[in-house]
């Protein structure tokens, strides 16, 4: 994993505990925590938009979003023109998300994976590089 990465992170109430644990797991990453800041009910789009804007603007290298299923945060993030958000519930899915799809936001389903798998998935997502080539042509066709 590259040193000095800047990661925008956000979660709703379902992902709050995992977000807090993730913030403590990585010493070599600078996180910008966009909330939520408690386990009280919260609306996932509020955090998904903030994380996506940080990635779009270059304020963050990548984003990490958490909610119960990861569907809501992924749908919200993918509304942003230059965001490619991928739902990954195991590290094997993070490989093609980065190498083939050049995903820049990782969406984790907190209710459907354990914390150790989340850590491995994040490490893989932040380590893999986009392969380009034939994949670049496809990625270029994603935006509307």
């Amino acid at each position: 994993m590259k040193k000095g990465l800047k990661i925008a992170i956000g979660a709703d109430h379902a992902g709050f505990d995992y977000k807090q644990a993730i913030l403590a797991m990585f010493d070599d990453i600078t996180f910008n925590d966009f909330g939520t800041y408690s386990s009280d009910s919260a609306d996932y789009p509020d955090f998904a938009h903030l994380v996506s804007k940080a990635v779009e603007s270059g304020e963050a290298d990548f984003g990490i979003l958490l909610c119960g299923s990861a569907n809501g945060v992924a749908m919200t993030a993918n509304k942003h023109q230059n965001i490619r958000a991928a739902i990954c519930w195991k590290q094997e899915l993070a490989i093609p998300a980065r190498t083939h799809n050049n995903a820049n936001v990782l969406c984790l389903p907190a209710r459907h994976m354990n914390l150790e798998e989340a850590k491995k998935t994040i490490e893989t997502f932040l380590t893999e590089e986009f392969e380009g080539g034939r994949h670049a042509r496809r990625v270029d066709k994603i935006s509307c």
Side-chain angles (χ1 to χ4, degrees):
M1 186 170 10
K2 294 178 187 173
K3 300 272 188 225
L5 285 175
K6 296 177 292 183
I7 306 297
I9 190 167
D12 70 357
H13 55 280
F16 172 73
D17 289 337
Y18 273 33
K19 179 179 69 79
Q20 295 308 108
I22 289 164
L23 290 171
M25 283 181 184
F26 299 96
D27 295 330
D28 52 349
I29 294 175
T30 301
F31 285 102
N32 190 353
D33 183 356
F34 286 98
T36 189
Y37 304 110
S38 78
S39 58
D40 295 341
S41 183
D43 298 336
Y44 60 81
D46 297 341
F47 314 105
H49 285 305
L50 292 172
V51 167
S52 298
K53 287 177 184 175
V55 174
E56 278 185 307
S57 72
E59 177 185 334
D61 299 308
F62 294 101
I64 298 174
L65 290 166
L66 300 100
C67 72
S69 68
N71 286 307
V73 291
M75 289 177 193
T76 303
N78 280 320
K79 297 292 183 197
H80 291 258
Q81 193 64 23
N82 295 307
I83 295 299
R84 292 169 305 281
I87 300 172
C88 300
W89 59 91
K90 58 184 182 176
Q91 80 182 107
E92 291 82 8
L93 294 170
I95 296 169
R98 285 289 304 129
T99 61
H100 293 188
N101 307 120
N102 200 18
N104 53 10
V105 175
L106 173 63
C107 301
L108 300 172
R111 292 184 176 149
H112 299 279
M113 65 190 311
N114 65 50
L115 194 52
E116 183 57 33
E117 190 64 44
K119 182 180 183 200
K120 290 178 192 174
T121 302
I122 292 166
E123 289 170 340
T124 299
F125 187 86
L126 297 178
T127 302
E128 293 294 326
E129 296 285 338
F130 182 50
E131 291 178 1
R134 71 184 190 278
H135 303 296
R137 183 181 74 244
R138 296 167 186 156
V139 169
D140 288 343
K141 293 180 179 183
I142 293 173
S143 295
C144 294

